[in-house]
Amino acid sequence: MLALISALAAAVAAVIRLRQRRGIATEAQRATYQVLHTAGLAAEPLRAGLDRVNAAKAVRHLRTLVGAPGLALTGADGLLGLDGRGAHHTAQLAAAGARAIAQNRSTVLGQDDLPCDRMDCVVRGAVVAPLTGPDGRSGAALVAIADGQPAPGLVQATLETARWAAAQLALAELDSSRERLARAEIRALRAQISPHFIYNALTAIASFVRTDPERARELILEFAEFTRYSFRAHGEFTTLAEELRSIDRYLTIERARFGDRLQVRLQIAPEVLPVSLPFLCLQPLVENAIRHGLSRKPGTGMVSIEASDAGAECHITVEDDGVGMDPAVLVAGMAQAAGESDDSGQHVGLSNVDERLRSAFGDQFGLVVETALGAGMKVSMRVPKFHPGVRA
């Protein structure tokens, strides 16, 4: 009986210890979740760029991460945001932040560095940490306010939070750089496409001015609508329907040049027409097929454009039965075009579209090119129907 009682007591003690350990684990999980959740709330405005509006949104979450009575974000030109205590020390905090930014060095301030005439002032110190970017320079600083001499824990928390905030700002700058690069690539693509096409289009239109004035008028209107779409000033993305509409105008003008030599086949699933994709990512492929594939082929040539529904994705192909090219030459040309201009324009167009697809959707969504000498060329792309940040 005594042995049974001892066994039961041991079992109960084991259950109590297990519940205690589970309780500790639960509390740790809750704490971890709370930190990650707060960091996520602070990251969103920081990733949007550090201005006064975003700083005001981020600073209260950063103060929670640091665990300080007050926290300020400062820039080279003054205070960007403040949460908690220390509002009457604005000028001193801004000056301390400016010094940390200029020197790119963290510092701990004591009561003598933050003099105050108010009897009810509880600010006794602060930790100032610059937000240093990957280039080793800082454009902002984090100032954690203490109600006593800053403890080592507050100093470490401020430094780590400043390092994390700097990483978020670096990501914001990277996003901004990508957007600027995308806009520059679109401008480069327009410059690469426009000169030879404008010349050929006007030449084709001129050939109909006397023999068929009505046809010349229609071609001029198509040309005007095509150029209006190609040179529009807003939006990095468009819909497949809009891109195809522009391609139809382009093909109308090209048919005027080539006549019956140019045959076109379209096979488009209606459900994929609203899909968003990078602006001017199909037209260069169609132009390459005609300019570099069919124009060099004697007799009739066919360009096929297909867009099919593939569940969460839209699959698009542009294929021609032209002269094709050596795959090794294509690979080398695209690698060169990624770093510098190519007089032929073919590699530039393909490389440009490939880079913009990867930038918008990820590396797994680049172009797939199938070609061989005398076998034409087939260019395929996959476009997700829904993707964060992609909207026509």
Side-chain angles (χ1 to χ4, degrees):
M1 186 68 178
L2 183 60
L4 178 60
I5 293 174
S6 298
L8 288 173
V12 170
V15 170
I16 292 174
R17 287 194 299 271
L18 178 60
R19 289 181 175 177
Q20 287 176 339
R21 285 198 296 271
R22 285 179 176 175
I24 292 172
T26 301
E27 289 300 320
Q29 290 169 354
R30 288 175 181 170
T32 301
Y33 166 78
Q34 191 61 43
V35 170
L36 293 175
H37 178 65
T38 304
L41 294 175
E44 186 175 349
L46 289 174
R47 290 289 297 272
L50 194 59
D51 54 23
R52 294 186 185 278
V53 175
N54 292 323
K57 295 177 182 178
V59 70
R60 60 192 183 96
H61 303 301
L62 293 174
R63 184 168 79 90
T64 302
L65 288 176
V66 174
L71 190 108
L73 267 171
T74 68
D77 299 327
L79 194 73
L80 297 175
L82 174 69
D83 186 69
R85 299 175 184 171
H88 59 289
H89 285 276
T90 297
Q92 296 169 337
L93 298 176
R99 287 194 299 271
I101 293 170
Q103 300 172 2
N104 198 21
R105 187 177 62 184
S106 302
T107 184
V108 177
L109 305 179
Q111 186 172 357
D112 294 340
D113 301 308
L114 299 169
C116 183
D117 296 332
R118 292 178 52 169
M119 298 297 295
D120 60 342
C121 179
V122 296
V123 177
R124 295 292 183 269
V127 182
V128 187
L131 307 186
T132 305
D135 58 358
R137 295 181 296 178
S138 57
L142 201 65
V143 184
I145 299 164
D147 52 10
Q149 181 64 27
L154 178 64
V155 174
Q156 190 62 34
T158 304
L159 296 178
E160 292 299 328
T161 303
R163 189 176 292 112
W164 175 84
Q168 301 307 308
L169 294 178
L171 291 174
E173 178 60 28
L174 179 60
D175 290 340
S176 178
S177 298
R178 284 176 176 170
E179 292 176 3
R180 291 195 298 269
L181 178 61
R183 290 194 292 269
E185 287 175 338
I186 291 175
R187 289 194 296 269
L189 190 60
R190 285 168 174 162
Q192 178 257 321
I193 292 171
S194 302
H196 77 265
F197 174 69
I198 291 175
Y199 173 81
N200 291 334
L202 293 177
T203 301
I205 293 170
S207 68
F208 289 99
V209 169
R210 290 187 177 181
T211 59
D212 193 345
E214 185 61 27
R215 178 78 184 281
R217 178 181 177 277
E218 293 174 359
L219 290 174
I220 288 174
L221 293 177
E222 294 289 350
F223 178 71
E225 287 299 314
F226 173 81
T227 53
R228 184 174 68 87
Y229 173 80
S230 299
F231 289 94
R232 72 180 191 178
H234 61 281
E236 295 177 22
F237 298 95
T238 188
T239 63
L240 177 60
E242 287 292 327
E243 194 82 350
L244 289 172
R245 189 174 293 115
S246 177
I247 288 172
D248 181 62
R249 297 186 181 107
Y250 169 78
L251 290 172
T252 298
I253 298 170
E254 291 292 60
R255 285 195 196 97
R257 288 181 57 212
F258 290 97
D260 294 337
R261 286 184 56 205
L262 175 59
Q263 303 294 318
V264 179
R265 184 175 69 89
L266 291 175
Q267 188 173 346
I268 311 297
E271 55 269 29
V272 299
L273 289 174
V275 170
S276 296
L277 68 169
F279 177 62
L280 282 183
C281 75
L282 277 187
Q283 196 272 344
L285 307 184
V286 177
E287 182 173 8
N288 276 334
I290 296 174
R291 182 185 176 194
H292 300 287
L294 301 184
S295 66
R296 301 172 183 175
K297 174 187 176 182
T300 302
M302 171 74 74
V303 174
S304 300
I305 305 171
E306 298 183 10
S308 59
D309 187 1
E313 297 177 351
C314 168
H315 291 180
I316 303 171
T317 62
V318 176
E319 185 174 5
D320 68 79
D321 59 358
V323 297
M325 68 183 307
D326 185 342
V329 175
L330 175 65
V331 171
M334 288 186 67
Q336 178 185 7
E340 57 187 69
S341 178
D342 180 359
D343 293 338
S344 71
Q346 180 177 18
H347 303 141
V348 174
L350 292 175
S351 178
N352 185 297
V353 173
D354 180 67
E355 288 177 4
R356 291 196 292 128
L357 285 170
R358 293 175 187 274
S359 176
F361 304 121
D363 285 338
Q364 69 272 31
F365 290 99
L367 291 181
V368 176
V369 183
E370 303 171 59
T371 188
L373 287 173
M377 181 177 291
K378 180 179 180 180
V379 183
S380 307
M381 68 174 72
R382 296 160 43 228
V383 178
K385 291 182 178 177
F386 306 99
H387 195 80
V390 176
R391 187 174 181 181

